[in-house]
Amino acid sequence: MNWELAIFKQQKIRRHWDEKQGKRYFSVVDIVGVLSESKDPKTYRKVLKTRLKTEWSEVVTNCNQLKMLAQDGKMRMTDVADVETILRLVQSIPSPNAEPFKLRLAKVWYERI
């Protein structure tokens, strides 16, 4: 599996390059943690996911799961999303980090093309 870490404001974001699809996937809970600055990003993600489901948001349905290295050192299934879906997710989280994060993702997307 081709996964690696990205750093945004000294916080780690797990990511994976899928050669077959030519897409990069990012850990949703890592993104939520960076943007929300929550001490418990898993709970924040769970509440956000419930809210987005009630709004019929495609962000929830466009997430997949991949095994990624967890904090305990084991490979665990985690929600991941591609750049386009992450950009939509970013818009759902009120955060001063949103704009710089969107610029960083745009750069990743541009480099992919």
Side-chain angles (χ1 to χ4, degrees):
M1 193 155 285
N2 188 8
W3 68 273
E4 56 194 32
L5 292 175
I7 306 294
F8 182 80
K9 294 198 174 195
Q10 292 86 33
Q11 293 188 24
K12 296 176 184 175
I13 299 172
R14 293 169 291 170
R15 62 186 181 174
H16 166 78
W17 174 253
D18 185 317
E19 297 248 353
K20 289 181 183 178
Q21 295 183 5
K23 286 187 175 185
R24 183 167 309 280
Y25 291 92
F26 296 87
S27 165
V28 174
V29 74
D30 294 353
I31 302 286
V32 167
V34 167
L35 294 176
S36 68
E37 297 178 338
S38 171
K39 292 182 182 183
D40 187 1
K42 288 181 184 180
T43 300
Y44 191 103
R45 162 71 174 139
K46 186 177 178 180
V47 172
L48 178 64
K49 187 174 182 177
T50 301
R51 181 175 60 89
L52 292 173
K53 277 184 181 180
T54 62
E55 295 172 0
W56 298 95
S57 174
E58 290 181 20
V59 172
V60 176
T61 57
N62 289 341
C63 291
N64 300 307
Q65 286 203 326
L66 290 173
K67 278 192 174 184
M68 292 187 147
L69 190 64
Q71 287 183 340
D72 63 5
K74 296 181 181 177
M75 295 298 281
R76 300 198 184 272
M77 295 300 282
T78 188
D79 285 348
V80 297
D82 62 15
V83 173
E84 292 85 358
T85 303
I86 292 295
L87 283 170
R88 289 187 190 112
L89 180 68
V90 169
Q91 294 171 338
S92 303
I93 302 172
S95 168
N97 289 333
E99 201 55 39
F101 194 82
K102 285 191 275 187
L103 292 172
R104 178 88 177 264
L105 277 177
K107 181 180 178 194
V108 168
W109 185 75
Y110 176 78
E111 289 171 355
R112 186 184 82 180
I113 295 176

